Amino acid sequence: MTVEKNAVATVAGLMAISARTAPKAKGQDEILIAVLTAAQQKKLSRAMTEYGTKNGLGFFLRDAQNVAASDACIVIGARGNAFVGINCGACGYPTCTAFAKASRAAKKRTTPFAGPNCAVRMADLGIAVGSAAKTAQIHNVDNRIMYTAGSVALDLGFLGKECTVAYAIPLSASGKNIFFDRESHK
């Protein structure tokens, strides 16, 4: 392992701290975090390639290459079905009780993310992901927030069964940012 790869691994840990300590609604922490092992990262890249090929989604193939070439990868998700209890209606249901009932009735996930999701928990997730990306930027580690890798990480169970939405942030420290000037896959 090079000095740079060791440093990137340290930054991934710092990003996990940033996500964990990011502000959350009513002080309730429903955020799930995993810093992937090298084996998990390879498994994620392969699964993204399979998903992209099977579904004709070239951007999954492009992102899979980035995950494979990255020095580390962190996945941050949320228990989106854990409602806050304020009856705000942002989830599309008039009350948190109605949301909870719909959430329990939801069948097997057929889309990249499971739903319905509490809008407040999704805001918490966005703040946590943003805080983590900010930490990478502060330490000059190239990164990219990826819906693609997060959705496949859900399929692989990297954040457990309770996770409904996740984003992945692959990290790289090289002479050229691998997340820009990327080849387009159609």
Side-chain angles (χ1 to χ4, degrees), residues 88-147:
C88 69
C91 63
Y93 295 91
T95 65
C96 290
T97 302
F99 164 80
K101 184 178 179 182
S103 182
R104 283 191 302 272
K107 302 296 179 208
K108 185 177 180 193
R109 182 168 59 96
T110 58
T111 56
F113 297 141
N117 286 288
C118 173
V120 176
R121 297 298 180 210
M122 295 302 96
D124 288 350
L125 175 58
I127 293 166
V129 168
S131 293
K134 170 212 55 158
T135 297
Q137 181 272 325
I138 286 171
H139 294 287
N140 301 309
V141 175
D142 296 330
N143 66 92
R144 185 85 171 205
I145 298 169
M146 292 187 176
Y147 141 83

Side-chain angles (χ1 to χ4, degrees), residues 31-150:
I31 299 299
L32 302 161
I33 304 165
V35 176
L36 302 185
T37 65
Q40 288 174 317
Q41 194 171 321
K42 286 177 186 174
K43 185 175 182 179
L44 176 60
S45 176
R46 283 192 306 270
M48 290 172 68
T49 299
E50 289 171 16
Y51 185 88
T53 301
K54 176 183 172 188
N55 294 291
L57 299 171
F59 63 101
F60 273 80
L61 304 175
R62 177 203 62 206
D63 290 355
Q65 289 177 335
N66 278 152
V67 169
S70 296
D71 298 318
C73 187
I74 182 171
V75 182
I76 304 170
R79 292 178 194 93
N81 57 2
F83 59 89
V84 179
I86 58 175
N87 296 328
C88 69
C91 63
Y93 295 91
T95 65
C96 290
T97 302
F99 164 80
K101 184 178 179 182
S103 182
R104 283 191 302 272
K107 302 296 179 208
K108 185 177 180 193
R109 182 168 59 96
T110 58
T111 56
F113 297 141
N117 286 288
C118 173
V120 176
R121 297 298 180 210
M122 295 302 96
D124 288 350
L125 175 58
I127 293 166
V129 168
S131 293
K134 170 212 55 158
T135 297
Q137 181 272 325
I138 286 171
H139 294 287
N140 301 309
V141 175
D142 296 330
N143 66 92
R144 185 85 171 205
I145 298 169
M146 292 187 176
Y147 141 83
T148 53

